[in-house]
Amino acid sequence: MKFGDIEILNNICKKKLDRLNKLGVSLGYDLPDKRTSDIVKPNISTDNPMIIAEIKRSSPTQGNIGKIENPLELARKYIQQGANAISVLCEEDYFKGSIMDLYHVKSAFPNICVLRKDFILTKDEVEISHRIGADMILLIVSVFKDNMESFMQIYEEILSYNLTPLIEIHDMYEYSLVSHLDFSRSVLGINSRNLKTFTINKANALKMRAEIPNHIPVIFESGLDSQYEAFVVGNGGFSGILCGSTLVRNMESGNANKLKEIRESFQVGIKSNQFFYRLCRKYKKYKNKPLVKICGINNHDFMREALKYADLLGFIIEKSSSRYVSSDFCKSAAHEIESLDNAPLRVGVVTKHCFDDGLAMLRDGIFDALQLHDFPLDFFSKDSNLIYGDLEICMNDLLFPFYPSLKELNASGYNQFFYLYDKSGGNSESFDINLVRDMQEEHEILKRNLWLAGGICLDNIDAILSLNPMLIDINSGLESTKGVKSIEKLNEFFRVFKG
């Protein structure tokens, strides 16, 4: 029997099926004859996002994550830090879990929602899950892509026990297979891990979320490592998160507040202006063209013409720039733009010298996001204060919509959602298109995800579009002289671009 078209997934499921055939659906354990706890339904809303913390000892990609000799103690810590659901990995061969872990956790915490995180293959496993106390059961669409009849049998069985299916998808094709389901009785989850390459693509998860109807709550799964990433996920339209490996590692290394930090950052993201969700919603309407940011706006007449074409407008507030504009100009532009239907997003372009001014305008609603130049990329790999020029910025003060503008192309940095590759640093220098193409061949994550800037103009637009970027940022290519925007060049460029 084959389970999907992914080798490791197929191997996991074969091992699980062998266990079921040999030991039965109880997997050899002495289980209670009936459920002893009430069913706890997930309660998901803007004011009550779903925070699922996972008990996870190992994985095929990461090896041993933590011993977790006392799952009840770990669950207790999770609940104390604000988890409103506990995921228990029950698969034994690759994840070193057990259904007994779930039974003991639910017995100890009967009022918490508990997810059976497993590779469910038969509907008989549902009755066992109910007996041991599961409130939710994971259903992985990839397992059933070629056998959706079995998927539906298990799905209906879960509902018949008044349990909640957590339906996990990895791409929009998988969503199309389940889009007809009643999501008032089930929960949808997007796993950002590619099951074929096992790479994490967090940006792809955000883009997928934007294509799914807004009223459907969606859980973000896999790869959430830092407070800022949690903020972006909340800002990107997700209603909940499932976090495992990062929490286990931090708990075992002494950072007992990791879940609290991630939960609070996620909630800040939800209540922010949803810049990343709106950005991805704009992107979803395009099939073969990137988003367009027109940068260096410093003239109202040019701006009004640019409104016909731009998805984002950039306002440079670095005083040394020939495209510098004052806060008064930005404020009047924002007042004019915000009343428009489908208005472009407003981005304040800042350096370490004018960061505070940009942040103040963002908080006043003049900008929707900031683009940060000279940004230290290693910030994304740790939860610590940011050294930005002469500034030391507290992590909690970095929970706002921003993206870095970097002079070097770095695939690992891109894995933290979005950044703008701008070799010119605002000096009109174009990047090496062949270098970008080679990097894309080497790193799948850079395909259809890159944001590109630097010397983009009519002469190179065809070559740049061949790279399939997610966003292009045009500045000097729309100028008659440096700092002077040209409406004629603007219209000429977009006649070709829209062609």
Side-chain angles (χ1 to χ4, degrees):
M1 184 181 296
K2 186 177 181 181
F3 302 95
D5 59 352
I6 300 163
E7 183 177 2
I8 184 64
L9 183 63
N10 200 32
N11 291 340
I12 292 171
C13 292
K14 280 183 177 179
K15 283 265 193 180
K16 173 70 180 297
L17 192 60
D18 287 343
R19 281 185 178 272
L20 290 171
N21 290 334
K22 181 179 179 181
L23 302 171
V25 288
S26 68
L27 297 172
Y29 295 104
D30 185 15
L31 302 177
D33 294 330
K34 62 179 181 178
R35 186 183 182 104
T36 59
S37 58
D38 292 336
I39 293 171
V40 179
K41 306 293 283 186
N43 179 20
I44 309 173
S45 67
T46 302
D47 295 327
N48 187 47
M50 194 161 194
I51 310 297
I52 309 173
E54 190 157 84
I55 295 172
K56 180 179 183 180
R57 295 186 177 89
S58 183
S59 82
T61 56
Q62 302 176 68
N64 292 331
I65 297 168
K67 291 182 179 179
I68 314 183
E69 294 175 350
N70 188 343
L72 301 187
E73 181 60 27
L74 182 57
R76 181 176 289 108
K77 290 178 180 178
Y78 285 158
I79 295 167
Q80 288 172 346
Q81 292 186 45
N84 49 23
I86 303 295
S87 169
V88 183
L89 251 162
C90 298
E91 197 278 336
E92 301 193 25
D93 292 294
Y94 291 82
F95 294 87
K96 299 183 180 178
S98 164
I99 58 175
M100 296 307 294
D101 285 341
L102 190 151
Y103 173 66
H104 292 313
V105 167
K106 186 63 179 183
S107 298
F109 306 101
N111 297 321
I112 198 77
C113 182
V114 176
L115 165 69
R116 180 174 179 179
K117 183 86 173 287
D118 205 339
F119 296 81
I120 300 297
L121 304 177
T122 72
K123 71 176 188 177
D124 293 339
E125 294 177 87
V126 176
E127 189 266 342
I128 290 291
S129 301
H130 177 267
R131 275 164 52 191
I132 63 176
D135 303 293
M136 301 178 68
I137 299 177
L138 181 71
L139 271 183
I140 304 171
V141 177
S142 293
V143 172
F144 301 96
K145 280 196 293 190
D146 300 322
N147 187 8
M148 288 303 291
E149 183 178 349
S150 292
F151 174 93
M152 288 305 302
Q153 288 174 354
I154 299 171
Y155 172 81
E156 294 293 347
E157 189 79 355
I158 293 172
L159 295 183
S160 75
Y161 279 91
N162 197 29
L163 304 180
T164 302
L166 172 57
I167 300 168
E168 178 178 290
I169 61 172
H170 299 82
D171 54 47
M172 290 307 295
Y173 172 70
E174 291 182 7
Y175 174 69
S176 73
L177 297 176
V178 297
S179 61
H180 64 285
L181 298 179
D182 182 357
F183 286 105
S184 68
R185 303 185 67 190
S186 55
V187 176
L188 187 65
I190 295 176
N191 194 323
S192 63
R193 186 182 299 279
N194 183 315
L195 287 180
K196 289 186 177 179
T197 64
F198 280 92
T199 56
I200 296 285
N201 191 327
K202 300 169 190 175
N204 191 54
L206 259 68
K207 289 189 285 186
M208 284 178 62
R209 175 64 191 102
E211 293 197 54
I212 294 168
N214 191 35
H215 70 275
I216 297 176
V218 184
I219 307 299
F220 181 96
E221 304 177 41
S222 289
L224 199 57
D225 294 323
S226 71
Q227 287 179 254
Y228 180 69
E229 290 175 32
F231 169 86
V232 173
V233 169
N235 192 255
F238 284 87
S239 303
I241 53 176
L242 191 158
C243 196
S245 303
T246 294
L247 297 183
V248 173
R249 285 200 184 94
N250 276 269
M251 292 290 190
E252 296 211 342
S253 65
N255 183 4
N257 294 316
K258 184 70 172 182
L259 176 59
K260 180 175 182 289
E261 294 167 353
I262 284 179
R263 174 181 59 82
E264 290 176 349
S265 300
F266 177 69
Q267 290 174 317
V268 172
I270 287 177
K271 294 176 181 178
S272 189
N273 62 10
Q274 289 208 309
F275 168 79
F276 289 107
Y277 178 71
R278 290 185 291 154
L279 178 85
C280 292
R281 289 281 292 177
K282 285 180 176 291
Y283 179 68
K284 86 179 188 70
K285 68 184 179 183
Y286 299 117
K287 294 189 181 296
N288 298 308
K289 292 287 178 71
L291 290 164
V292 175
K293 173 172 171 271
I294 300 177
C295 199
I297 301 293
N298 57 6
N299 175 287
H300 280 285
D301 289 335
F302 179 86
M303 181 190 76
R304 293 180 188 113
E305 194 69 14
L307 290 171
K308 297 177 183 178
Y309 311 111
D311 300 294
L312 302 90
L313 295 176
F315 300 86
I316 299 172
I317 62 169
E318 165 57 55
K319 290 184 178 178
S320 65
S321 171
S322 59
R323 291 113 180 173
Y324 164 77
V325 286
S326 67
S327 60
D328 287 340
F329 180 92
C330 296
K331 188 181 297 183
S332 64
H335 180 72
E336 186 171 343
I337 294 167
E338 62 189 0
S339 61
L340 302 175
D341 292 332
N342 197 30
L345 299 168
R346 292 161 279 128
V347 178
V349 182
V350 305
T351 68
K352 54 198 173 188
H353 305 297
C354 57
F355 171 78
D356 287 337
D357 293 336
L359 189 56
M361 284 190 266
L362 176 71
R363 289 173 173 163
D364 287 342
I366 296 171
F367 299 138
D368 296 303
L370 296 184
Q371 175 183 313
L372 306 186
H373 282 259
D374 307 317
F375 191 83
L377 187 59
D378 64 351
F379 158 76
F380 287 114
S381 63
K382 57 189 178 183
D383 279 335
S384 61
N385 293 354
L386 170 68
I387 304 300
Y388 191 41
D390 295 329
L391 302 172
E392 182 174 3
I393 307 167
C394 174
M395 170 61 71
N396 288 334
D397 291 333
L398 286 164
L399 299 181
F400 60 83
F402 72 82
Y403 60 89
S405 176
L406 304 173
K407 294 183 179 181
E408 299 296 329
L409 188 57
N410 185 305
S412 62
Y414 183 79
N415 196 26
Q416 314 306 318
F417 297 105
F418 305 112
Y419 71 69
L420 182 70
Y421 173 44
D422 181 6
K423 184 176 177 61
S424 72
N427 293 315
S428 309
E429 180 185 348
S430 185
F431 52 85
D432 184 335
I433 289 175
N434 289 326
L435 170 66
V436 175
R437 187 172 286 113
D438 290 344
M439 285 286 286
Q440 287 180 317
E441 287 302 313
E442 185 176 353
H443 302 284
E444 182 75 20
I445 198 169
L446 296 177
K447 293 182 178 179
R448 296 192 178 277
N449 282 332
L450 270 177
W451 295 13
L452 298 172
I456 297 176
C457 61
L458 270 179
D459 294 339
N460 60 17
I461 187 59
D462 287 340
I464 286 170
L465 291 179
S466 73
L467 300 171
N468 290 313
M470 180 182 173
L471 179 147
I472 57 172
D473 188 323
I474 318 162
N475 192 340
S476 62
L478 304 178
E479 293 178 342
S480 53
T481 58
K482 189 171 183 178
V484 180
K485 290 290 188 286
S486 165
I487 291 176
E488 182 181 356
K489 282 199 167 190
L490 172 77
N491 289 324
E492 184 182 3
F493 180 92
F494 281 97
R495 273 196 297 270
V496 173
F497 177 79
K498 296 178 77 173

